[in-house]
Amino acid sequence: MNTIIKHLPRKLLFITRYTFLLAVISLGLVSIIATGGGGSGGSPTYYLDGDGDGYGDPDVFLKQDKQPDEYVTNSADCDDSNAEINPGASDVPDDGVDQNCDGFDLKSWFEDADGDGYGNPDVFLQANAAPDGYVTEGIDCDDTNPGVFPGNTEIANDGIDQDCDGFDLFPWYRDADDDGYGDPYNGVMERPDFGDYVENNKDCDDTDAGAYPGAPEIADDGIDQDCDGFDLKSWFPDADGDGYGDPETVVTSNSAPGGYVANNDDCDDKNAGIYPGACDAPDIFLTVNDIPAAMNGSIPYRDNNDELVDFTLAVPTSDAVWNITVDCPCGCRKEGLQVWSDPPMNENPADLFESDGNDRFIWRVDAANALPQTAALTIYAAITDNCGQESETSSLTVRTIANRPLLAPFDLQDPWLFVYSRDNYTITSGMSSDTTWEVYSEAVPNGISDFIEDLWSLGLGTPTPDPAFEAVTCESGQNGNDCLARMVLEQTREKAYQLFLCGPDGTRGDDGVDIRLWIEGEPGAPDPADFTPQTLNSLDIEKTFSMMGFGGGDLEQYRVGYAERIDYLNLLNEDNTPKDLGVLTTSLVRYAYNFLNDSEALELMAAINLGDILVPVGGTPIGTYAEDVRMIDLSIPPEDLSERFQSRREQMLMLMDKLTDGLSLLTVHEIGHSVGLVPPGHPPYGFFAGETKADFIDDPDGSTEAHIDTAGFNIMQAGPETGYISEDLLKALTGSLFEEDGPVFRFNEMNMAYLQGRLLLLP
């Protein structure tokens, strides 16, 4: 009621009260008339109050003196069937019932501020009749805008709900792929009853749920997933500007960044001359133990009868080393290497090869991946370069044999003792009548080591030393001359180890020959008196030591070295210490003298400043001066010597260096013979000694019954009669025996593989 009163206008309130007062007065007059008031007389009238609300039904009454039960004296009820309807009841608005019998149903009226015929549901009052500015419909959704009311015509897409249906009219777009984005070409103005329509029209492909604005873009698939109008693409840097991109680096964007191209086909993005089509196809060469094609059996060789001969290498089932060399103008990677075999191996052979980082792949066969034993194993290799070009196939067939002592004697270490104490000659030197220097030898022992006498001929020691030099000792050396001899042999041993591909101290490494070199008299060295000939066979798998003698030599023989025998299969211990066996240094000195008697050689000696020591050019031998004791002691720093003896030391070291170049070559040459080099015939029964017409022969004169002259300086080529000493000693004197990648003079690949135990010689 408070709300109603609050909103009733004062005029209307006055009228309502006045009407009610008139009704009460009328009821009083009727009552007076009915009871005979006014002097008319008669019985009073009583009205039925059927609903017991105190108000009678004007249409049902009685006139009698006594008031009946359920009758009242008034007839003001407008519905005597409902006790809640009577003049004293409160009217309930808007229910269609006149509860207070005033002739009206109380109604709610809503303010229509904008005059559009629809009222504000939040501003209303209740009255029997409409106040000014109020209407019966309180359903306006915006009573400040006469253009907004229920039923009005909707203007689409203007942000205003003109018809008060809760929505601004706008297009709805089909979202067939249910990605939340609608098809701009499939829209309606009224939202359909089914739910696959959305408000936006931003889908670029309504058949693909993975294509919509902001979707993750997949590069290079031809699909614009994120609806930006582009398919995301991959771009590759073209650093060398040849139009081909680097496959190792990629960026993605809608358009090409500067310096990038769409392809990743470059083989080398640092070289503008290498790209697909710019390079020749790769070449590949497969072999075992680095043996060249002309000697490995992949092609026949031409023998001394001018006939082509087929042959096959024999390799152990383990310990051999397979080599693949490639020439890839466009570059190659390990991933492009293909290797297979017949019969097939259990695993992919290509996985066993390791790259050396340059142009070679190497497989060192060990027991874990040993080859099957077979009379014919063929391994094939091919490679694809970085530009996709494939090489031809290279192959090699070998015979594989399980190691056993008689076929693989290099499974055991070869111990050798350098013996320099032998005395078979009296050796002197001097100037002849024609003013040339000569060395003389008489086969008569004189109590002096032949090797030490040979060194005297060069100035490395003297038969008439200063007393201080005579008295000096060193480890295992008994006087100055002996110490010099040992210094020469120690340096010879270091170089011999290196020629056997070991470290200077004998460390074997992966490729070195398993050999041990002692010098007579040093700690731990065997005693020559304990030498015992011994045969290596299947029952006897231990070795004693072999011996190599140094010094002396029959000058009539023109030999600088000679081995007791060529021990094919390396079954015996060798004794190369008897007279005229081993390294014959007297003959070596004679060749040096012949060289030094040449005027050009003398000029060379002057140029390299050996004139203070070297006897044949007028030098003063080491040992002549007491100060030579300090000079040969290399633990004394050069600055602690006088200028003269600093120079003598430099000359001594230079002379020793050149001398030990030759001595080490002779030593390993004779050891090579003693352990089985070089057998005649072709593999697997020989290593081509004496062959003169084969493609791999460099100089036919250097290949004799037990020698072979292959490309480069092969340690096992023939000796002085072919110019071995005269030509190559000059090389040693003017250069170095060793370069960064190893010795200048080497065993050829076949001979080295035999010494390493990687190639077998069959009986």
Side-chain angles (χ1 to χ4, degrees):
M1 286 299 293
N2 291 335
T3 304
I4 295 174
I5 294 172
K6 177 182 177 181
H7 294 283
L8 288 177
R10 288 190 172 190
K11 183 178 180 181
L12 181 59
L13 182 59
F14 176 77
I15 293 172
T16 300
R17 289 176 177 174
Y18 182 71
T19 302
F20 179 72
L21 180 60
L22 287 177
V24 173
I25 294 171
S26 296
L27 287 174
L29 289 176
V30 170
S31 175
I32 294 171
I33 294 171
T35 58
S40 62
S43 299
T45 302
Y46 297 97
Y47 298 90
L48 178 66
D49 181 11
D51 55 10
D53 59 4
Y55 295 90
D57 183 350
D59 296 324
V60 182
F61 56 89
L62 293 175
K63 285 180 175 284
Q64 58 185 34
D65 294 334
K66 186 179 181 180
Q67 184 174 350
D69 292 337
E70 298 182 355
Y71 277 75
V72 295
T73 58
N74 71 81
S75 60
D77 207 344
C78 56
D79 184 352
D80 201 38
S81 65
N82 188 335
E84 293 183 357
I85 299 177
N86 55 69
S90 297
D91 206 350
V92 177
D94 306 316
D95 63 351
V97 179
D98 177 17
Q99 279 90 353
N100 64 358
C101 295
D102 65 352
F104 301 95
D105 175 33
L106 187 66
K107 292 184 178 295
S108 296
W109 305 94
F110 300 89
E111 184 180 26
D112 180 17
D114 57 7
D116 58 8
Y118 293 89
N120 184 347
D122 296 322
V123 182
F124 62 91
L125 55 78
Q126 291 163 341
N128 290 334
D132 290 341
Y134 282 74
V135 295
T136 59
E137 299 290 340
I139 55 176
D140 205 344
C141 55
D142 184 355
D143 202 37
T144 65
N145 188 343
V148 177
F149 55 85
N152 193 16
T153 301
E154 184 77 54
I155 299 172
N157 239 13
D158 65 348
I160 302 174
D161 177 19
Q162 279 90 357
D163 62 0
C164 289
D165 65 354
F167 302 95
D168 176 33
L169 184 66
F170 55 83
W172 295 81
Y173 299 93
R174 182 73 183 273
D175 181 15
D177 57 10
D178 200 28
D179 58 7
Y181 293 86
D183 182 354
Y185 303 106
N186 189 355
V188 294
M189 292 304 294
E190 294 288 343
R191 183 171 185 172
D193 293 338
F194 45 90
D196 58 352
Y197 277 75
V198 293
E199 300 176 18
N200 70 80
N201 63 349
K202 296 182 179 180
D203 210 342
C204 54
D205 184 351
D206 203 37
T207 65
D208 184 355
Y212 55 86
E217 185 77 57
I218 300 173
D220 309 315
D221 64 350
I223 300 173
D224 176 19
Q225 278 91 358
D226 63 0
C227 295
D228 66 351
F230 302 93
D231 175 34
L232 188 67
K233 292 188 178 296
S234 296
W235 305 95
F236 304 89
D238 180 18
D240 57 11
D242 58 8
Y244 295 85
D246 182 357
E248 300 298 326
T249 305
V250 61
V251 299
T252 54
S253 65
N254 290 335
S255 58
Y260 281 70
V261 294
N263 72 79
N264 62 348
D265 299 328
D266 210 343
C267 322
D268 184 349
D269 203 39
K270 298 181 180 64
N271 189 332
I274 297 180
Y275 53 85
C279 312
D280 292 334
D283 288 328
I284 190 169
F285 173 62
L286 166 74
T287 191
V288 66
N289 302 318
D290 280 323
I291 297 173
M295 300 178 74
N296 71 8
S298 57
I299 56 177
Y301 82 100
R302 190 171 299 279
D303 68 7
N304 289 343
N305 296 320
D306 212 25
E307 295 179 355
L308 290 176
V309 180
D310 290 314
F311 64 96
T312 304
L313 300 178
V315 299
T317 53
S318 62
D319 297 329
V321 177
W322 287 82
N323 323 97
I324 295 174
T325 303
V326 296
D327 178 14
C328 294
C330 276
C332 289
R333 293 186 178 92
K334 170 72 183 294
E335 292 77 12
L337 181 66
Q338 307 165 59
V339 184
W340 65 101
S341 65
D342 182 22
M345 299 175 61
N346 292 333
E347 55 183 308
N348 180 8
D351 294 339
L352 302 172
F353 281 85
E354 297 292 336
S355 172
D356 71 349
N358 295 309
D359 57 358
R360 284 166 53 87
F361 301 94
I362 300 171
W363 171 27
R364 299 179 185 274
V365 186
D366 56 23
N369 52 49
L371 298 170
Q373 183 166 312
T374 177
L377 171 69
T378 304
I379 295 184
Y380 305 86
I383 197 164
T384 301
D385 69 13
N386 293 342
C387 291
Q389 302 176 111
E390 188 169 344
S391 70
E392 294 184 357
T393 298
S394 178
S395 65
L396 177 62
T397 300
V398 297
R399 179 175 178 178
T400 55
I401 300 174
N403 284 356
R404 53 186 184 271
L406 287 178
L407 294 182
F410 292 99
D411 280 354
L412 301 175
Q413 188 178 78
D414 263 296
W416 283 83
L417 176 65
F418 290 179
V419 176
Y420 69 101
S421 61
R422 62 185 183 179
D423 174 23
N424 298 304
Y425 291 91
T426 298
I427 303 164
T428 57
S429 63
M431 184 177 291
S432 66
S433 57
D434 62 356
T435 68
T436 60
W437 279 85
E438 301 289 346
V439 60
Y440 306 100
S441 176
E442 182 180 2
V444 176
N446 62 352
I448 302 173
S449 161
D450 293 342
F451 183 67
I452 289 178
E453 288 186 292
D454 290 330
L455 295 182
W456 288 349
S457 301
L458 296 173
L460 295 173
T462 175
T464 57
D466 182 270
F469 194 79
E470 177 68 20
V472 72
T473 59
C474 55
E475 185 178 17
S476 305
Q478 300 176 9
N479 54 57
N481 286 321
D482 196 32
C483 290
L484 278 176
R486 299 190 66 80
M487 289 174 67
V488 171
L489 287 177
E490 286 168 0
Q491 195 171 126
T492 299
R493 174 171 59 184
E494 290 178 2
K495 294 181 178 180
Y497 271 138
Q498 291 176 275
L499 292 170
F500 282 123
L501 302 187
C502 299
D505 61 351
T507 304
R508 184 181 180 191
D510 290 334
D511 298 315
V513 176
D514 195 4
I515 196 166
R516 176 73 166 88
L517 305 176
W518 281 291
I519 297 173
E520 179 184 12
E522 72 180 349
D527 190 329
D530 294 334
F531 176 81
T532 302
Q534 182 178 0
T535 301
L536 175 68
N537 54 46
S538 59
L539 300 178
D540 186 2
I541 58 173
E542 293 185 359
K543 278 189 173 182
T544 59
F545 61 95
S546 298
M547 297 193 294
M548 182 62 63
F550 288 81
D554 185 350
L555 294 180
E556 298 299 321
Q557 298 294 325
Y558 289 92
R559 289 176 176 167
V560 292
Y562 201 77
E564 177 185 4
R565 65 174 66 86
I566 298 179
D567 182 12
Y568 301 128
L569 299 179
N570 193 24
L571 299 180
L572 304 174
N573 293 327
E574 305 295 320
D575 181 7
N576 290 312
T577 61
K579 181 174 178 288
D580 296 330
L581 294 181
V583 178
L584 307 178
T585 49
T586 305
S587 298
L588 183 64
V589 170
R590 194 254 317 263
Y591 278 103
Y593 271 36
N594 290 343
F595 169 73
L596 292 171
N597 283 326
D598 182 88
S599 59
E600 291 183 5
L602 290 174
E603 292 175 4
L604 174 63
M605 293 302 100
I608 61 178
N609 191 24
L610 287 178
D612 196 10
I613 290 178
L614 193 60
V615 169
V617 295
T620 304
I622 295 173
T624 302
Y625 308 112
E627 185 65 12
D628 284 337
V629 173
R630 287 169 45 80
M631 187 265 294
I632 68 170
D633 183 356
L634 300 184
S635 67
I636 297 176
E639 58 270 20
D640 289 351
L641 302 175
S642 67
E643 185 175 341
R644 165 75 186 278
F645 286 91
Q646 287 184 33
S647 175
R648 279 175 70 78
R649 176 183 283 182
E650 291 173 359
Q651 294 181 49
M652 175 192 74
L653 294 176
M654 182 180 295
L655 180 56
M656 283 185 177
D657 182 48
K658 303 309 175 185
L659 173 62
T660 55
D661 280 354
L663 287 177
S664 60
L665 286 169
L666 286 171
T667 301
V668 298
H669 178 97
E670 299 308 332
I671 290 178
H673 281 316
S674 296
V675 298
L677 297 176
V678 178
H682 61 73
Y685 309 104
F687 293 156
F688 302 116
E691 294 296 336
T692 59
K693 294 186 177 181
D695 289 342
F696 50 79
I697 296 301
D698 186 41
D699 180 3
D701 292 334
S703 298
T704 65
E705 181 180 354
H707 299 87
I708 182 170
D709 189 354
T710 52
F713 187 90
N714 174 26
I715 290 172
M716 296 312 298
Q717 69 187 56
E721 62 272 18
T722 66
Y724 169 14
I725 294 299
S726 58
E727 281 187 31
D728 296 299
L729 182 59
L730 177 60
K731 291 180 183 178
L733 286 170
T734 57
S736 174
L737 183 60
F738 300 96
E739 294 182 347
E740 186 175 347
D741 62 345
V744 175
F745 307 140
R746 303 171 183 252
F747 291 98
N748 72 30
E749 294 85 357
M750 178 171 287
N751 291 341
M752 177 53 74
Y754 167 74
L755 295 174
Q756 292 165 325
R758 298 173 179 174
L759 186 66
L760 301 180
L761 184 68
L762 302 186

